[in-house]
Structures are given as structure tokens and as C-alpha cells.
Amino acid sequence: MPSKAISSPIAGPAKAALSALSSTQIAFLQRLPKAELHAHLNGSIPLAVLQDLARDHAARCASPSTSDIVVSGIERLQAGVQLDQIGDFFGLFPAIYALTATAPALRRATRSVLEHFLDGPAPQVTYLELRTTPKENEHMTRREYLEIVLEEVERYTAEQAALIVSLDRRMDGEVAEHVVGLSAQLRREGRRVVGVDLCGDPMAGDVTVFSECFSAAKDAGLGVTLHIAETEQNSAAETLQLLSCGPTRLGHATFLNDDAKKVVHTDEMCIEICLTSNLLCKTVGTLDDHHIRYYLAHDHPIAICTDDVLPFRTSMIGEYALLMAPKPLGLALTEQEIARVAQMSMDSRFRVA
């Protein structure tokens, strides 16, 4: 197993929070056992690796228009992404998807993400549940895509890494059913698939088509986590529809009304909190406005996560620094409070049967 982690530059809120901490405080955060439960593969690839993949892509690509998309995407990521609203974020991914469209590229990207989180003298996390939506193209089927990712995940122990398979909100029912079926089959074969997710543009698709898929996933012993209520435009009816699927965890859950919160509290659904992501996508204005305060006040299960370290230029240590740093750079939590949050993340892992 590689011993040297590949890191990406940190900027913005996470960098400011880290700069406010002492070396002793940073060492405490590094030692703390913690789980990353909401990391998207294609949004977590180190920039240096993407640049290498872009050079390989340019050498073999016969379509200038495709190369232009890749070059402009890489330049935007390198300069530091400026987002005016959450929708701007999804425009970054065509370039990344083009770069990871072949088996060797996907393998290298996956390995680099796992190394970033789990390797080196001071690993970012103790445990990682990496998530990705399986792509189908001229180079690979969805099953082949998942097998490549799983081969890299399974280089680590079950106490270190596992895979969540994501459904995109743009999928139709047939494709979603196929993806869940693949996930269940791979789990039956002993592969380390522990859950399924619903992700993608929060304003796209019809979530009612996924209900039976999540029921089938649960029947197969898979955990269910859902991106939910990410924007004010997501309706209360849609949120309650998703909650009726009985997820164990929720991604973001930024705009839950009282009815939804009642369900979440009753079922103790862990909230995957991505502080920098929410700030940069402008779904929250400041840390003072962040819904993490509500869940902390109610001692409700949460997990601090990075979401996409590449465009948001953060790290898990940076996200935990936002808990510890003095106000207004952070939430000024005590070491005891932060240790409690970290334990919540470890307790909320999806387990391999």
C-alpha cells in the first residue's frame, strides 16, 4: 500500500480556520478517530493527478471540442472555483468525467483519492466511505466501472474503506433499478459495497421513481443515504417523499421544515454536514447561520464531511478546524465537543455484513 498521501491545496474558510489554530490543536484534530461518510470520488481527485490525466487525454483525444472542455475545466479548478449558486457547481464535472472515462484513468483517480484520505504519516481520516455514480461508456460497463473502484477500495481493510454507489437524480427508473441491482449483486459476491446514495443536481428529476429502488437496496442489506433539502427550492413534499424511503443518513439536509425535522429526530437519521461546501455554494450565508448549530443544540447525530475537496479546496482536518477555530472563523467548540462529533461519525458508518 502506498505510504505517501497526495494532497491538494487548501484555501478559503478551511485555510483561515486552520491558520487560527495552534500546532497542539491541529495535532489533536489529526489524532482524533473520525469517519468521512460523504466524499464524492470525482470531486475529490487531487489537482495534480487531474492535470496528469488531462495531458494523457490530450495526447489520445481526436476531438478538439472535448479537449477544450477539459482544458477550461482544469484551468477553472486550478484558479479556484467561484460559485454564485449551487447550480454553478455541477458545471465543473463534464471535464472530470471525460478524464476518468477509461479504466486506467479511473483506477488512478480512485487510488489517488483513497491515498489522500487514508495514507501518509497523518491520515485525514480513520475510515472512508467513498461514493460514486457508475458510468457507462464505450470503454466500460457500469459493472466494470464499479469493479475497478472496488479493486482500489479493497486494497484497504474493511475498517478503513468501503464504497457507496450513487444514483443520479437524472436517472430514469430502469437505470436506477439496474444500478441498485448491480450494487446488491456485488454485495452478495462479497464485494465491499455498503450503501446507496441519491445525488446530483437537487432540482433535477422526479424522486418518486426511486422509492422502490431504495426499498430493494434495504432488502439487500445496503445502507441508504440521500442528498435532501439542499436548496430552498426543494419542496416540503419532495423532502417528505424522500424521508418516507427510510434512509439511515441524510446529505446536507439544509432546509428541513418542522415536519421533516420530526421524522429525522424520531428515526435518528445522521446528518452528513459539509461546512465549506455549504458556504461556497451559498446554501448558507455564514457559520452563524449554519444548520449544524441546530443539530449540535439537539445532540442529534452528525458526521463532518468534505463533500468535494477538489473544487472546495478543503480537507477533513480543515473541516474539523472550522469546528474548533474561534468565532467568526469557526464554531469555537471544545475538544470534548469535537471528540463527541467525531465519535458520531464513527458510529454512523455503514457496516459490511
Side-chain angles (χ1 to χ4, degrees):
M1 187 179 299
S3 60
K4 184 177 180 181
I6 303 174
S7 61
S8 293
I10 298 176
K15 181 178 181 180
L18 277 169
S19 298
L21 300 184
S22 68
S23 59
T24 301
Q25 289 175 309
I26 293 173
F28 165 78
L29 296 180
Q30 290 173 329
R31 291 194 306 269
L32 200 60
K34 48 194 170 295
E36 164 60 276
L37 305 180
H38 189 126
H40 296 275
L41 168 58
N42 283 288
S44 301
I45 304 168
L47 182 59
V49 174
L50 270 186
Q51 290 170 327
D52 285 346
L53 293 176
R55 284 188 283 271
D56 294 343
H57 181 274
R60 70 172 187 270
C61 183
S63 170
S65 61
T66 303
S67 294
D68 289 346
I69 291 172
V70 170
V71 170
S72 63
I74 294 294
E75 288 177 347
R76 189 178 174 198
L77 288 165
Q78 190 165 11
V81 177
Q82 299 296 318
L83 303 172
D84 294 320
Q85 56 185 353
I86 190 171
D88 296 342
F89 168 69
F90 296 98
L92 297 170
F93 286 96
I96 298 173
Y97 294 155
L99 295 181
T100 57
T102 66
L106 177 61
R107 187 179 302 280
R108 183 176 182 194
T110 303
R111 184 170 296 192
S112 72
V113 173
L114 289 157
E115 289 175 357
H116 167 77
F117 282 108
L118 295 170
D119 287 358
Q124 291 283 316
V125 297
T126 308
Y127 172 81
L128 168 67
E129 282 177 3
L130 189 62
R131 62 181 65 186
T132 190
T133 305
K135 313 295 188 299
E136 184 174 60
N137 59 38
E138 61 183 314
H139 303 291
M140 65 186 110
T141 64
R142 289 188 175 89
R143 181 180 174 107
E144 289 168 338
Y145 180 106
L146 291 175
E147 287 175 335
I148 290 167
V149 175
L150 281 166
E151 285 168 8
E152 295 303 313
V153 167
E154 291 165 356
R155 293 172 68 244
Y156 296 82
T157 70
E159 292 302 310
Q160 292 177 293
L163 179 66
I164 294 174
V165 179
S166 295
L167 309 180
D168 191 290
R169 288 176 60 120
R170 290 190 177 90
M171 286 178 176
D172 61 31
E174 183 178 354
V175 173
E177 182 179 350
H178 173 61
V179 171
V180 170
L182 280 176
S183 305
Q185 179 62 37
L186 287 164
R187 184 179 176 86
R188 286 193 295 271
E189 293 171 9
R191 307 304 299 271
R192 207 177 304 152
V193 180
V194 294
V196 296
D197 167 41
L198 180 66
C199 67
D201 185 338
M203 300 312 298
D206 176 7
V207 299
T208 62
V209 306
F210 298 103
S211 296
E212 291 186 8
C213 292
F214 295 129
S215 179
K218 291 166 69 175
D219 288 345
L222 294 164
V224 174
T225 178
L226 307 176
H227 284 65
I228 194 170
E230 292 184 71
T231 75
E232 289 183 288
Q233 289 71 46
N234 291 114
S235 71
E238 177 187 276
T239 296
L240 290 175
Q241 170 68 34
L242 288 172
L243 291 176
S244 73
C245 297
T248 305
R249 301 200 313 248
L250 301 174
H252 303 294
T254 312
F255 298 97
L256 298 182
N257 65 15
D258 289 342
D259 290 338
K261 287 177 181 176
K262 183 177 179 180
V263 176
V264 169
H265 286 310
T266 299
D267 293 348
E268 296 188 322
M269 298 174 182
C270 175
I271 310 299
E272 300 159 359
I273 297 285
C274 307
L275 295 165
T276 296
S277 169
N278 298 152
L279 290 169
L280 295 187
C281 288
K282 297 182 173 60
T283 54
V284 299
T286 66
L287 285 177
D288 275 338
D289 301 327
H290 201 285
H291 50 293
I292 190 176
R293 291 184 174 278
Y294 170 85
Y295 293 109
L296 289 171
H298 287 78
D299 196 29
H300 185 87
I302 61 172
I304 300 301
C305 306
T306 58
D307 204 6
D308 296 274
V309 297
L310 173 62
F312 300 138
R313 303 174 80 177
T314 188
S315 69
M316 184 59 94
I317 303 303
E319 294 302 293
Y320 271 80
L322 288 165
L323 299 181
M324 178 172 271
K327 299 176 182 179
L329 297 177
L331 295 171
L333 299 188
T334 67
E335 288 189 0
Q336 184 177 8
E337 289 170 326
I338 294 170
R340 166 71 174 143
V341 170
Q343 186 60 51
M344 287 178 179
S345 73
M346 294 293 284
D347 291 343
S348 298
R349 292 171 289 174
F350 291 147
R351 298 289 185 171
V352 177

